[in-house]
Amino acid sequence: MKKMLLTYILFLLIVTIKAQNIVNSSLESSCVGNGFINPTCVKNWYASSGYPIVAGESNGNKWALLSSFTNKIEGIYSNYNFKVGETYRISFKIKVATNNKSSLVSIKATSGLNYSNESSEKNTSQKSELIWNKDITKSTNNWETITFKYSPETNNTQIWIFPSVTSNNSTTNEHYSKIEIDDIEVSNTDKDANKKAAIASTEKTETKKKTVKSEYIFPEEISKGDYLNVRVSAKTVSEVHIIDLAGNIFKTSFTVLNDNYIKLQVSSRLILEGTYVVKVIKNDNTSFTNKLKVI
């Protein structure tokens, strides 16, 4: 009986550990080429649009190659449960190529995606949430490793990755952007902390429990020259300030991505490595802040 009980406990532990990590994070595959078509030969990964490529040697390491042209994209997605109130560690390796400085690579949490080879961005549920994005301004020859933490504002069941060409002023040459991506790891890193937070939340009123943070700044740690993203009603923003610990204020210009997001580049020669506060000031003189570490 004791042996059976121990075996059952070990089984539950293994299942719990596996449930906290994405399946086939290394994108290993039994084929090379258009491997994300239905049926996929990349376990747990599927094409959301276009014809994503399985790149690599037939008997060696594999990764995904996604292309984007004007009004056409290739994307991939996988199943993963993102839950409000939990924090996830996301890491991946990426290389990019482009002939257009107005290109973007995006990662979203979403629900309801199905396999498709239509080369256009999916019109997904409004619950879709931006996890991370970055402008593709030039081609890179080497892999870059990206790591950050993500706290969902809505529950979603899928992770979705795709590049996109955001503009094309040329009338003769079609612009493109391509990304190679590998080792996409998603894991829940704060299980114990989340359990404590859940217990603490039961002591709050029903009103507080229903309150959802709708405005936030991410990520909290960046390198100089990278972009900050702000979830906010873009038309309500007046100014964005970056403030050092001595109280010095650096006014920063920002770009509107859409109705719900703006972005700004931390590139001032006066902003050095260290800790700052980002302050978003709205037209009604209200504001919200977040700590920022420049490395």
Side-chain angles (χ1 to χ4, degrees):
M1 179 64 70
K2 289 183 178 179
K3 185 175 180 181
M4 290 178 62
L5 180 60
L6 179 60
T7 301
Y8 180 68
I9 292 172
L10 288 173
F11 172 76
L12 288 179
L13 179 61
I14 291 171
V15 170
T16 301
I17 292 173
K18 286 186 176 180
Q20 296 174 17
N21 297 277
I22 202 164
V23 176
N24 193 14
S25 63
S26 61
L27 299 176
E28 285 309 298
S29 169
S30 60
C31 66
V32 173
N34 294 337
F36 295 92
I37 60 175
N38 195 16
T40 179
C41 64
V42 187
K43 184 179 180 180
N44 208 52
W45 289 90
Y46 310 89
S48 65
S49 51
Y51 295 91
I53 297 296
V54 175
E57 299 178 357
S58 57
N59 295 320
N61 182 43
K62 310 290 197 312
W63 58 88
L65 172 61
L66 314 176
S67 300
S68 170
F69 299 88
T70 308
N71 301 320
K72 298 178 181 179
I73 70 168
E74 292 177 343
I76 57 174
Y77 69 94
S78 185
N79 298 315
Y80 191 89
N81 287 324
F82 293 105
K83 296 182 179 180
V84 173
E86 299 192 356
T87 300
Y88 300 88
R89 180 184 180 276
I90 299 177
S91 177
F92 53 89
K93 295 193 304 184
I94 190 170
K95 289 194 294 186
V96 302
T98 185
N99 68 349
N100 177 35
K101 291 186 178 181
S102 295
S103 298
L104 196 69
V105 54
S106 302
I107 299 179
K108 287 186 177 182
T110 191
S111 300
L113 271 180
N114 295 306
Y115 163 77
S116 174
N117 58 14
E118 294 180 6
S119 298
S120 61
E121 185 172 344
K122 290 290 184 180
N123 183 20
T124 56
S125 162
Q126 291 184 356
K127 290 177 61 179
S128 293
E129 185 172 82
L130 180 67
I131 296 177
W132 174 90
N133 67 3
K134 185 175 183 179
D135 286 316
I136 302 174
T137 57
K138 61 181 180 179
S139 301
T140 59
N141 295 320
N142 299 316
W143 290 101
E144 177 186 6
T145 299
I146 306 291
T147 302
F148 57 91
K149 288 186 177 181
Y150 163 61
S151 298
E153 296 296 326
T154 58
N155 295 326
N156 274 297
T157 59
Q158 295 168 323
I159 182 171
W160 180 28
I161 304 166
F162 60 92
S164 57
V165 174
T166 55
S167 69
N168 181 9
N169 296 322
S170 172
T171 58
T172 57
N173 297 318
E174 186 172 40
H175 287 173
Y176 74 88
S177 62
K178 297 181 180 180
I179 65 168
E180 296 176 79
I181 192 163
D182 196 10
D183 296 339
I184 308 162
E185 297 181 359
V186 182
S187 60
N188 189 320
T189 60
D190 298 321
K191 276 292 184 183
D192 292 337
N194 291 328
K195 288 179 181 178
K196 292 179 182 178
I199 293 172
S201 69
T202 61
E203 300 175 359
K204 299 180 180 180
T205 64
E206 289 300 314
T207 301
K208 289 184 178 179
K209 285 196 294 182
K210 292 178 182 178
T211 300
V212 178
K213 185 179 177 183
S214 60
E215 299 175 335
Y216 56 92
I217 303 165
F218 65 100
E220 293 185 351
E221 182 176 291
I222 65 171
S223 298
K224 188 170 180 179
D226 283 350
Y227 286 86
L228 280 175
N229 297 282
V230 182
R231 180 186 173 98
V232 64
S233 177
K235 63 183 179 182
T236 67
V237 178
S238 172
E239 292 183 336
V240 180
H241 295 171
I242 297 178
I243 307 168
D244 65 19
L245 297 181
N248 297 309
I249 297 175
F250 308 96
K251 292 186 178 181
T252 306
S253 60
F254 60 87
T255 302
V256 174
L257 291 177
N258 55 45
D259 290 344
N260 298 313
Y261 287 95
I262 66 172
K263 70 175 181 179
L264 55 133
Q265 187 177 29
V266 180
S267 59
S268 170
R269 61 183 179 83
L270 299 177
I271 297 178
L272 306 176
E273 293 181 359
T275 302
Y276 298 82
V277 172
V278 181
K279 184 176 183 179
V280 179
I281 303 170
K282 302 171 74 176
N283 295 328
D284 60 2
N285 291 324
T286 61
S287 64
F288 59 96
T289 63
N290 199 52
K291 186 180 292 185
L292 172 66
K293 184 176 182 181
V294 179
I295 58 174

